[in-house]
Amino acid sequence: MTAPRATRTRTPKIRENLPAPQTAEGLYFHYKPAEAAQWTPFSPRTITDMIARREIDYVFNGRDNYLTGAQIVALVERYTVKPFTKPAHATAA
């Protein structure tokens, strides 16, 4: 006989009507990692792991970890790949 499997999964509660991080209201709003994930190329778990490894800036209020809108914008800009442009002084061979 085997033990019963867990049937309940933990899904983080995401608040409704969140301001976008790049707006004036959203720059200082505190987002939970699951809420911030919708504006980044990362999953909530990846963001949580990056916070635990101290790879990204975050806000700690003594109990929970948060990201401000400005930190989300900086995170997205950090991992944005810019298009390659040839230097002006390059000559054809």
Side-chain angles (χ1 to χ4, degrees):
M1 188 161 132
T2 60
R5 296 189 77 176
T7 57
R8 185 173 177 194
T9 59
R10 294 184 60 167
T11 56
K13 191 161 194 164
I14 297 177
R15 298 172 283 183
E16 295 180 12
N17 302 324
L18 295 173
Q22 61 272 22
T23 62
E25 181 185 350
L27 284 177
Y28 297 106
F29 189 84
H30 288 81
Y31 300 89
K32 297 176 186 175
E35 296 167 344
Q38 56 186 318
W39 284 288
T40 65
F42 304 109
S43 69
R45 176 58 189 245
T46 302
I47 293 175
T48 303
D49 290 344
M50 291 170 84
I51 289 171
R53 291 189 303 261
R54 310 286 197 268
E55 292 178 2
I56 58 175
D57 294 333
Y58 65 97
V59 177
F60 180 66
N61 71 352
R63 179 180 150 188
D64 297 319
N65 298 319
Y66 294 98
L67 290 152
T68 63
Q71 291 168 334
I72 294 170
V73 171
L75 178 66
V76 170
E77 288 176 359
R78 177 179 169 188
Y79 288 97
T80 300
V81 178
K82 307 285 187 211
F84 176 75
T85 57
K86 251 186 189 177
H89 61 79
T91 58

